[in-house]
Amino acid sequence: MTILLAASPLSQPFFQHALLAGTAIAAASGLVGYFLVLRAQVFTGDALSHVAFTGAMAALAFGYDLRLGLLAATVAVALLFGTLGRRARPDDVVIGSVFSWILGLGAFFITLYTTSRSTTNGTAGVSVLFGSIFGISAGRATTAALLAVGVCLLMVLAARPLLFATLDEAVAAARGVPVRLLGFGFLAVTGISAAEATQAVGSLLLLGLLAAPAGAAIRLTDRPYRALFLSAALAVVEMWTGLFASYALPKMPPSFAIMAAATAVYAATFLIRRPARRSPTTAAPAGA
């Protein structure tokens, strides 16, 4: 009994930290990702994944905490996207242009970091690219969880007006909804979520944590609020599945396990056939 208890992942401090941070980050990613998919801004998430790496490398190159670089870069560039776009909704041309510039900066900071400071933390770049959730400390896990919970609260509070502005922007603006302000706010929250998700699955894979649960939820239900919370629930379950699978199979990186679970759930939605909705005309009797 003692051996079984000692082998339990929940008894391991590093797993407890990963579970705390991962659960909150996954919930936030699910909520934000739903609106990214609904607003057709998934490319924004893709761009921010590379921004996260560039920001982290910039912070390390100049001797700062990489988390500061992650957060500052993703939020700043997300707001830049909004400034260059119409009504704070950047288009692909804007994102692509800034994306190319950011990639160039990333190449510069990688060179600067590897030639001047890499001896102090040679694995930092790999951790940013692929995540290091099992290496997160208690303090970092608590900070990440608090930020993610804050993101969740903001998304829940803004869900109704943001949904209105997403589905019918012109009518929402006419009704007095601050469409542009909501757009900027959403992009800022997306930047925070991208920075947090990088700690869990890495900058290369964070798009999957933002998009896959949301895509699956949208395929499973047409009801917006149900899909919103289903996206968060799926992201959390996928995070848990990945963490426990990686603990059981130590050679399997947690980032891969989490993304494998997310991909499997999304793929499974194609096997589920939802009953077709009958329109009022087809549902009415022929003689009515």
Side-chain angles (χ1 to χ4, degrees), residues 46-106:
D46 185 29
L48 289 178
S49 68
H50 293 77
V51 171
F53 180 72
T54 298
M57 289 298 99
L60 290 174
F62 292 106
Y64 295 100
D65 190 325
L66 66 85
R67 289 171 294 171
L68 177 62
L70 278 172
L71 192 61
T74 51
V75 173
V77 173
L79 293 175
L80 177 62
F81 287 158
T83 303
L84 298 177
R86 185 179 66 86
R87 286 186 178 273
R89 293 183 71 165
D91 56 31
D92 290 350
V93 175
V94 168
I95 296 173
S97 300
V98 177
F99 194 7
S100 302
W101 174 62
I102 290 296
L103 285 177
L105 278 179

Side-chain angles (χ1 to χ4, degrees), residues 48 73 85 93 108 143 193 196 217 219:
L48 289 178
V93 175
F108 169 73
T143 301
S193 297
E196 292 300 297
R219 289 188 57 83

Side-chain angles (χ1 to χ4, degrees), residues 8-287:
S8 171
L10 296 178
S11 67
Q12 306 297 325
F14 77 90
F15 193 90
Q16 295 169 6
H17 303 157
L19 196 63
L20 171 65
T23 300
I25 289 171
S29 298
L31 295 176
V32 171
Y34 172 74
F35 281 104
L36 277 179
V37 174
L38 201 63
R39 293 166 67 87
Q41 291 182 334
V42 175
F43 191 27
T44 302
D46 185 29
L48 289 178
S49 68
H50 293 77
V51 171
F53 180 72
T54 298
M57 289 298 99
L60 290 174
F62 292 106
Y64 295 100
D65 190 325
L66 66 85
R67 289 171 294 171
L68 177 62
L70 278 172
L71 192 61
T74 51
V75 173
V77 173
L79 293 175
L80 177 62
F81 287 158
T83 303
L84 298 177
R86 185 179 66 86
R87 286 186 178 273
R89 293 183 71 165
D91 56 31
D92 290 350
V93 175
V94 168
I95 296 173
S97 300
V98 177
F99 194 7
S100 302
W101 174 62
I102 290 296
L103 285 177
L105 278 179
F108 169 73
F109 288 128
I110 290 172
T111 302
L112 186 62
Y113 173 64
T114 55
T115 56
S116 62
R117 295 180 179 273
S118 62
T119 54
T120 59
N121 189 0
T123 63
V126 176
S127 298
V128 173
L129 283 173
F130 300 105
S132 57
I133 194 166
F134 277 163
I136 195 168
S137 65
R140 287 177 58 191
T142 302
T143 301
L146 289 175
L147 279 174
V149 169
V151 168
C152 291
L153 291 176
L154 286 174
M155 291 307 302
V156 171
L157 291 174
R160 185 179 180 83
L162 186 57
L163 183 63
F164 190 10
T166 298
L167 298 179
D168 201 329
E169 186 177 285
V171 174
R175 293 286 184 87
V177 176
V179 173
R180 186 173 177 80
L181 181 61
L182 273 175
F184 276 114
F186 175 67
L187 287 171
V189 171
T190 300
I192 296 172
S193 297
E196 292 300 297
T198 299
Q199 298 184 65
V201 296
S203 63
L204 290 182
L205 300 177
L206 74 85
L207 180 62
L209 192 59
L210 289 169
I218 288 174
R219 289 188 57 83
L220 291 173
T221 179
D222 293 326
R223 297 185 178 182
Y225 293 111
R226 181 179 295 179
L228 175 63
F229 291 105
L230 179 59
S231 176
L234 287 175
V236 170
V237 170
E238 290 157 5
M239 175 66 70
W240 291 349
T241 301
L243 292 178
F244 279 99
S246 182
Y247 182 87
L249 301 171
K251 291 186 178 180
M252 180 187 296
S255 300
F256 167 78
I258 295 165
M259 286 300 96
T263 303
V265 171
Y266 180 69
T269 62
F270 286 87
L271 304 177
I272 300 174
R273 292 185 177 181
R274 289 187 299 172
R277 288 187 175 181
R278 294 192 302 172
S279 64
T281 56
T282 57

